[in-house]
């Protein structure tokens, strides 16, 4: 590695080698340097992380390309929005279509119900959004799916809009395109389940929180946005929205070095905004349905993780899902690892702190849900946006930046996804739908006990 200046801090040793003879004359005595070396592996980790793995400078920009933005709007709209009117996949899509329909029919925005019985498994923000879609466009399969489709499109645009402040305009655009052609994210995220909307809020919180702490003083605007997005995530699927944010943010501040001090006022304000956004409904549902607290917080958050009672899968469950579901992006896994671990000076300088944070965020999401005994494929959707943004940084600065093959592969994948959305997915949905057997459906509907 090139030599750089020594910076001494109490109980911490951070060093790179001097660039010239004048820097050498400023070096402290060797005995003093040895005395300040980290005493254990935990002390060496931050040094290795920010001086070897991610020594690059901040590469974000505030410049804006309307051409890139509108191209992403066009591509995501064509891929997602016109192809939503196909039969619901049972049981999940049917459930999440029926609950807001019953809330709309009863005029009750507090207690979700399924077949007239309280359904307390999830908070109501997703139901509210689908309810509003019903009220505006009518009750239909496509109007219900409009909510997750817009959430997926919003996440793609968010990766570009905020991502350019982290890794630069070119890298953010490539990351947004990578997310747009990620089959697992596009395929599962646009279905009528909560995880696409959760991914939108978690992505907004992750990117905004990082921007807030990378200034000399805590940037209140970005910090408030991160807290508000976390609150909306808590109102969508519960405390998991905060669980997916705080650990990678804390890990980045330890490994990469803290810039802005947050302090108790910062954390207190963050928690206060989350409570202001989400607490009114939680208090209202506890008044109407007192058993909600133990049922939702304990059973569906704690016990589902520690003592799973449904969707039990092995710890390696997400490995084949991510490797297969993110093709062709996973073909870049090996060269991407080589780029991350390369010791060449020009390559190392391209690895900025934002890339390390994005990888921590994606890795933590996959690790958390892998350790949970209860697993569904859609749970890891919030890991895909930060992973794709980190991939965009590699594509913009690694060995592929001048190659035409990433663009050709992206166009071919986009065409295949479009064909799947137009023909394949509706065909599968119709084949699996109960409506494909009208006599049996008619018989079921005649039976009031069904």
């Amino acid at each position: 590695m090139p030599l750089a200046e020594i910076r001494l801090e109490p109980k911490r040793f951070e060093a790179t080698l001097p660039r010239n003879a004048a820097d050498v004359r400023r070096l402290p005595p060797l005995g003093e340097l040895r005395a300040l070396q980290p005493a254990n592996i935990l002390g060496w980790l931050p040094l290795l992380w920010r001086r070897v793995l991610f020594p690059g400078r901040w590469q974000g920009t505030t410049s804006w390309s309307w051409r890139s933005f509108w191209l992403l709007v066009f591509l995501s709209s064509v891929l997602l929005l016109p192809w939503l009117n196909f039969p619901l996949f049972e049981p999940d899509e049917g459930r999440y279509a029926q609950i807001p329909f019953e809330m709309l029919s009863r005029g009750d925005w507090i207690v979700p119900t399924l077949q007239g019985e309280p359904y307390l498994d999830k908070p109501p923000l997703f139901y509210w959004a689908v309810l509003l879609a019903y009220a505006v466009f009518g009750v239909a399969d496509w109007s219900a799916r409009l909510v997750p489709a817009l959430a997926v499109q919003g996440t793609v645009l968010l990766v570009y809009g905020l991502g350019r402040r982290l890794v630069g305009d070119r890298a953010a655009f490539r990351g947004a395109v990578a997310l747009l052609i990620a089959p697992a994210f596009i395929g599962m995220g646009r279905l009528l389940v909560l995880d696409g909307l959760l991914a939108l809020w978690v992505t907004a919180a992750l990117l905004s929180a990082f921007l807030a702490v990378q200034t000399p003083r805590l940037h209140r605007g970005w910090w408030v946005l991160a807290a508000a997005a976390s609150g909306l995530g808590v109102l969508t699927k519960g405390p998991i929205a905060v669980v997916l944010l705080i650990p990678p943010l804390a890990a980045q501040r330890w490994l990469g070095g803290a810039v802005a001090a947050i302090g108790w006022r910062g954390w207190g304000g963050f928690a206060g905004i989350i409570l202001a956004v989400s607490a009114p409904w939680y208090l209202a549902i506890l008044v109407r349905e007192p058993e909600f607290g133990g049922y939702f917080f304990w059973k569906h958050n704690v016990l589902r993780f520690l003592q799973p009672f449904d969707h039990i899968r092995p710890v390696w469950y997400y490995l084949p899902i991510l490797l297969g579901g993110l093709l062709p992006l996973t073909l870049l896994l090996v060269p991407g690892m080589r780029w991350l671990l390369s010791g060449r000076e020009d390559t190392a300088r391209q690895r900025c702190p934002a890339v390390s944070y994005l990888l921590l965020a994606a890795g933590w999401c996959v690790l958390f849900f892998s350790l949970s005994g209860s697993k569904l494929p859609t749970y890891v959707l919030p890991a895909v946006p930060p992973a794709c943004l980190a991939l965009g940084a590699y594509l913009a600065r690694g060995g592929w930046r001048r190659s035409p093959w990433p663009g050709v592969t992206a166009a071919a994948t986009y065409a295949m996804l479009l064909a799947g959305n137009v023909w394949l997915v509706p065909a599968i949905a119709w084949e699996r739908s109960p409506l494909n057997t009208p006599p049996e459906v008619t018989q079921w509907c005649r039976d009031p006990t069904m």
Side-chain angles (χ1 to χ4, degrees):
M1 290 183 61
L3 304 181
E5 60 186 12
I6 299 283
R7 192 178 92 192
L8 300 177
E9 297 177 1
K11 299 183 179 180
R12 179 179 292 183
F13 172 71
E14 297 183 359
T16 54
L17 299 172
R19 296 181 182 276
N20 50 51
D23 291 334
V24 173
R25 289 194 295 269
R26 290 197 296 267
L27 293 176
L30 182 60
E32 182 180 347
L33 294 179
R34 289 176 175 173
L36 292 172
Q37 290 180 2
N40 51 53
I41 186 63
L42 292 180
W44 277 105
L45 276 177
L47 176 64
L48 296 174
W49 189 265
R50 57 180 172 265
R51 296 301 185 187
V52 178
L53 288 177
F54 301 99
R57 296 172 180 260
W58 182 271
Q59 296 173 341
T61 180
T62 57
S63 65
W64 182 264
S65 171
W66 284 108
R67 177 188 297 180
S68 298
F69 175 78
W70 288 116
L71 179 59
L72 289 171
V73 171
F74 173 76
L75 292 175
S76 58
S77 297
V78 171
L79 183 61
L80 293 168
L81 300 182
W83 327 110
L84 302 174
N85 196 27
F86 52 88
L88 299 171
F89 284 102
E90 298 293 345
D92 291 326
E93 284 200 306
R95 179 190 312 121
Y96 292 129
Q98 178 67 16
I99 293 172
F101 172 71
E102 294 187 16
M103 296 178 75
L104 177 64
S105 301
R106 294 183 296 108
D108 188 348
W109 289 60
I110 303 299
V111 181
T113 61
L114 180 61
Q115 297 181 357
E117 298 295 328
Y119 188 81
L120 306 179
D121 292 29
K122 299 294 187 293
L125 184 59
F126 184 81
Y127 309 145
W128 291 345
V130 176
L131 184 156
L132 290 175
Y134 286 162
V136 174
F137 301 107
V139 179
D141 299 340
W142 73 267
S143 60
R145 289 198 184 95
L146 186 62
V147 171
L150 289 176
V152 168
Q153 184 181 40
T155 306
V156 172
L157 299 178
L158 197 65
V159 164
Y160 173 69
L162 293 185
R164 63 194 172 84
R165 291 178 171 268
L166 276 72
V167 293
D169 188 84
R170 179 178 298 181
F173 178 75
R174 282 159 174 74
V177 172
L179 184 62
L180 186 61
I181 63 169
F185 186 78
I186 297 299
M188 294 188 292
R190 77 186 188 111
L191 296 179
L192 194 60
V193 292
L194 282 68
D195 301 280
L197 185 60
L198 177 67
L200 172 66
W201 305 133
V202 171
T203 302
L206 286 168
L207 302 186
S208 301
F210 184 76
L211 291 172
V213 300
Q214 291 304 305
T215 53
R217 297 181 62 183
L218 185 66
H219 193 290
R220 292 185 179 180
W222 291 120
W223 194 241
V224 169
L225 179 59
S230 297
L232 293 171
V234 171
L235 202 55
T236 299
K237 209 173 180 181
I240 185 62
V242 179
V243 172
L244 295 181
L245 169 66
I246 301 301
L249 183 63
Q252 175 63 26
R253 290 174 63 79
W254 173 55
L255 292 171
V259 178
I262 299 177
W264 67 269
R265 289 185 178 180
W267 286 117
F270 194 90
I273 293 173
I274 292 177
L275 291 175
V277 172
S278 60
W281 177 81
Y282 280 95
L283 293 175
I285 191 68
L286 286 172
V287 171
R288 294 274 301 272
E289 302 289 340
E291 69 274 15
F292 170 80
Y295 180 79
F296 175 73
F297 288 106
W298 179 248
K299 181 178 180 180
H300 280 276
N301 286 272
V302 178
L303 289 184
R304 184 182 285 271
F305 184 88
L306 298 176
Q307 300 176 8
F309 49 85
D310 60 358
H311 311 308
I312 301 175
R313 302 290 188 271
V315 69
W316 47 264
Y317 175 72
Y318 290 113
L319 181 62
I321 289 177
L322 292 173
L323 291 178
L326 296 181
L327 282 171
L329 302 179
T330 48
L331 298 177
L332 296 172
L333 181 61
V334 173
M337 291 299 298
R338 290 175 179 171
W339 179 73
L340 283 175
L341 300 177
S342 174
R344 293 181 53 181
E345 174 187 352
D346 56 342
T347 302
R349 288 181 177 178
Q350 300 298 330
R351 303 193 296 259
C352 62
V355 175
S356 72
Y357 174 69
L358 294 169
L359 293 176
L360 286 171
W364 165 246
C365 179
V366 175
L367 175 63
F368 177 83
F369 287 114
S370 296
L371 294 177
S372 172
S374 179
K375 301 178 180 68
L376 283 176
T378 57
Y379 287 177
V380 291
L381 285 184
V384 182
C388 285
L389 190 52
L391 178 63
Y394 165 61
L395 290 173
R397 303 185 182 96
W400 296 94
R401 61 184 179 273
R402 295 185 181 89
S403 173
W405 287 109
V408 172
T409 304
T413 304
Y414 180 88
M416 288 189 290
L417 287 174
L418 182 59
N421 288 350
V422 175
W423 293 293
L424 182 60
V425 175
I428 295 174
W430 177 248
E431 184 65 27
R432 292 168 52 98
S433 174
L435 299 178
N436 198 20
T437 56
E440 296 181 16
V441 174
T442 302
Q443 184 62 34
W444 292 336
C445 293
R446 288 173 181 165
D447 186 354
T449 63
M450 296 297 294

